[in-house]
Amino acid sequence: MTRPALSRERVIDAALTLVDREGLESLSMRRLGQQLGVEAMSLYNHVSGKADILDGLAEAVLARLDVHLDPAVSWQDKIRALARSFRTAATSHPGAFTLVSARQLGSASGLRPIEAELLILHEAGFDAETSVHILRTFVAFVTGSLVRELTAEPVVSGIDPVARATRIEVLKAAGFSAIADAADHIAIVDHEAEYYFGVDLFITGLEAQLRG
Amino acid sequence: MTRPALSRERVIDAALTLVDREGLESLSMRRLGQQLGVEAMSLYNHVSGKADILDGLAEAVLARLDVHLDPAVSWQDKIRALARSFRTAATSHPGAFTLVSARQLGSASGLRPIEAELLILHEAGFDAETSVHILRTFVAFVTGSLVRELTAEPVVSGIDPVARATRIEVLKAAGFSAIADAADHIAIVDHEAEYYFGVDLFITGLEAQLRG
DNA sequence: ACCTGAACACCGTTCAAGT
DNA sequence: ACCTGAACACCGTTCAAGT
């Protein structure tokens, strides 16, 4: 039962498995070495350091992103499909996805979703320069939404009506009347619905911009 | 020359100063204690741990956010002004702002910008439930944009035309034709302009939604 | 070429001991 | 009530030594 030889790819793969299972904060060189049946120092023969592993994780997540789009559907539905791919990647790799938003992504894996999005925007009728601006807005919204979803606490299901009433009184007394009025809607968070509400608002903005 | 007594507020303030000056990664209990002329363990008398300090930093950044809005301007300009306040907070406290996007913000400092945004949306004509969805989209976009801006590498000013040409060839050969076509626009990043492009697209979407 | 032991300079946190 | 010394269980990384 000989172990396969170590390589950068095997190290990154093991890191992704570890992070998927136990979270980003439990990724350490020693822990990862242990996972691969090797001492921590051996990893330095295949990656330049921990930062390199984090870059590799971000790339690995993007590489697994499904950018295939049904050519028959509207550009609006293509944007929705791409947004859905991002959310699938985020929920499949919650620990590692955070890295995607924070790190620069120049590798080929990072370029695939960018190419896909630019093609959609070209089809919609935007010129190259405008498409780049829209692309950056899209990425900002998608990563901002998903990182927030991933770091959010699990939603509380049952709400004590007494606690609710006193909380609303406290908010009003503190001068937060708009929050008090919206308290019942703030208490409910359906992350998936929330995400697609934003995606649709984004698309609505694009449609209006095309018209005007 | 007696030092003022330690307190949670003094600890958080010192942490913010340290993070502003040397970045989030140089914040440690030992380093922070040193800054306050005290051993690291003393800090535990005033905060419950490092996580508590990070929460405090996020709150401190939000507490410094300017939510005053000129009542005379349109709701669109009010949204732009609030977005500008967020960006000012981000560039003033680049290290700590990252924490705002990742942490849950239930404190009063976190509620102020939320109240401001909900009031603007009410003025624009949205009902409470829709306003909450829009608010979450706004926060996702703003934090996503600003975190990306803060972690981006400094923009390269001069571009070697030869390197540019070969890079575009490589992109085309690798099947990234849309990226190749947009390469010149991708090379230029004016973070401020990019940010307000997104804000305006967001506003355009809201206007269209009000009409339809 | 790849792996390891020992070491360095750090971490966050606990706790008994001091004042 | 607050501060400290010593300790515990960790970190990432370097480097000479092994095979």
Side-chain angles (χ1 to χ4, degrees):
Chain A
M1 166 154 177
T2 63
R3 282 187 294 94
L6 243 49
S7 65
R8 183 173 195 277
E9 200 193 348
R10 284 237 314 139
V11 171
I12 304 289
D13 279 359
L16 185 58
T17 305
L18 177 61
V19 169
D20 283 349
R21 205 177 49 228
E22 307 192 27
L24 191 60
E25 68 286 350
S26 67
L27 173 67
S28 75
M29 301 301 275
R30 284 169 170 86
R31 202 87 166 61
L32 183 55
Q34 195 177 300
Q35 212 73 202
L36 288 159
V38 104
E39 297 298 319
M41 318 86 189
S42 307
L43 301 175
Y44 288 86
N45 288 310
H46 305 99
V47 295
S48 72
K50 191 174 183 181
D52 191 23
I53 294 180
L54 298 179
D55 283 334
L57 283 177
E59 274 173 43
V61 169
L62 287 175
R64 282 159 176 75
L65 195 111
D66 177 20
V67 297
H68 170 266
L69 300 170
D70 181 353
V73 304
S74 65
W75 65 264
Q76 289 93 333
D77 278 347
K78 287 191 182 113
I79 288 185
R80 288 188 189 96
L82 192 58
R84 189 180 314 116
S85 286
F86 271 98
R87 188 160 184 275
T88 302
T91 51
S92 306
H93 307 287
F97 187 83
T98 318
L99 299 168
V100 174
S101 72
R103 313 222 135 211
Q104 222 73 0
L105 26 98
S107 69
S109 353
L111 295 181
R112 284 167 59 251
I114 291 174
E115 175 78 10
E117 174 82 4
L118 288 177
L119 287 174
I120 299 171
L121 295 172
H122 180 75
E123 176 188 339
F126 293 102
D127 63 53
E129 180 173 359
T130 308
S131 292
V132 171
H133 297 317
I134 295 171
L135 165 69
R136 288 182 174 137
T137 301
F138 177 76
V139 171
F141 165 71
V142 165
T143 57
S145 288
L146 295 175
V147 167
R148 183 154 286 268
E149 174 175 345
L150 295 173
T151 56
E153 295 157 7
V155 186
V156 282
S157 49
I159 314 162
D160 177 2
V162 177
R164 173 187 166 282
T166 58
R167 175 151 175 75
I168 288 179
E169 282 315 305
V170 170
L171 285 168
K172 281 209 171 116
F176 298 121
S177 62
I179 297 180
D181 289 345
D184 288 343
H185 305 111
I186 291 175
I188 301 168
V189 189
D190 178 342
H191 289 297
E192 186 175 358
E194 213 69 62
Y195 182 66
Y196 291 112
F197 176 93
V199 172
D200 283 345
L201 183 59
F202 174 76
I203 290 171
T204 301
L206 295 184
E207 289 171 339
Q209 187 144 322
L210 282 172
R211 277 195 308 269
Chain B
M1 166 153 181
T2 63
R3 282 187 293 94
L6 242 49
S7 66
R8 184 173 194 277
E9 200 192 346
R10 284 236 316 139
V11 170
I12 304 288
D13 279 359
L16 184 59
T17 305
L18 177 62
V19 169
D20 283 348
R21 205 177 49 227
E22 308 191 28
L24 192 60
E25 69 285 351
S26 67
L27 173 66
S28 75
M29 300 302 273
R30 284 167 170 86
R31 200 91 164 56
L32 183 55
Q34 196 177 299
Q35 213 71 203
L36 288 160
V38 106
E39 296 299 317
M41 318 86 190
S42 306
L43 301 174
Y44 288 85
N45 288 309
H46 305 97
V47 295
S48 74
K50 191 173 183 182
D52 190 23
I53 294 179
L54 297 180
D55 283 334
L57 283 177
E59 274 173 44
V61 169
L62 287 176
R64 284 160 176 73
L65 195 110
D66 177 20
V67 297
H68 171 267
L69 300 169
D70 181 352
V73 304
S74 66
W75 65 264
Q76 289 92 334
D77 278 347
K78 288 192 182 108
I79 288 185
R80 288 188 189 97
L82 192 58
R84 189 180 314 118
S85 285
F86 270 99
R87 189 161 184 273
T88 302
T91 52
S92 307
H93 307 287
F97 187 83
T98 319
L99 299 168
V100 173
S101 73
R103 315 221 135 212
Q104 222 72 358
L105 27 98
S107 70
S109 354
L111 295 182
R112 284 167 57 249
I114 292 174
E115 175 77 10
E117 175 82 4
L118 288 177
L119 286 174
I120 299 171
L121 295 172
H122 181 75
E123 176 188 337
F126 293 102
D127 64 51
E129 180 173 0
T130 307
S131 292
V132 170
H133 298 317
I134 295 172
L135 164 70
R136 287 182 174 137
T137 301
F138 177 76
V139 171
F141 165 72
V142 164
T143 57
S145 288
L146 294 175
V147 167
R148 182 154 286 267
E149 173 176 345
L150 295 174
T151 57
E153 295 157 4
V155 186
V156 282
S157 48
I159 314 161
D160 176 3
V162 177
R164 173 187 166 283
T166 58
R167 176 152 174 76
I168 288 178
E169 282 315 306
V170 169
L171 284 167
K172 280 208 172 116
F176 298 120
S177 62
I179 295 178
D181 290 345
D184 289 343
H185 305 111
I186 291 175
I188 300 169
V189 189
D190 177 341
H191 288 296
E192 186 175 356
E194 213 68 64
Y195 182 65
Y196 291 112
F197 176 92
V199 171
D200 283 345
L201 183 59
F202 173 77
I203 291 171
T204 302
L206 295 185
E207 289 169 339
Q209 185 142 322
L210 281 174
R211 277 195 306 270

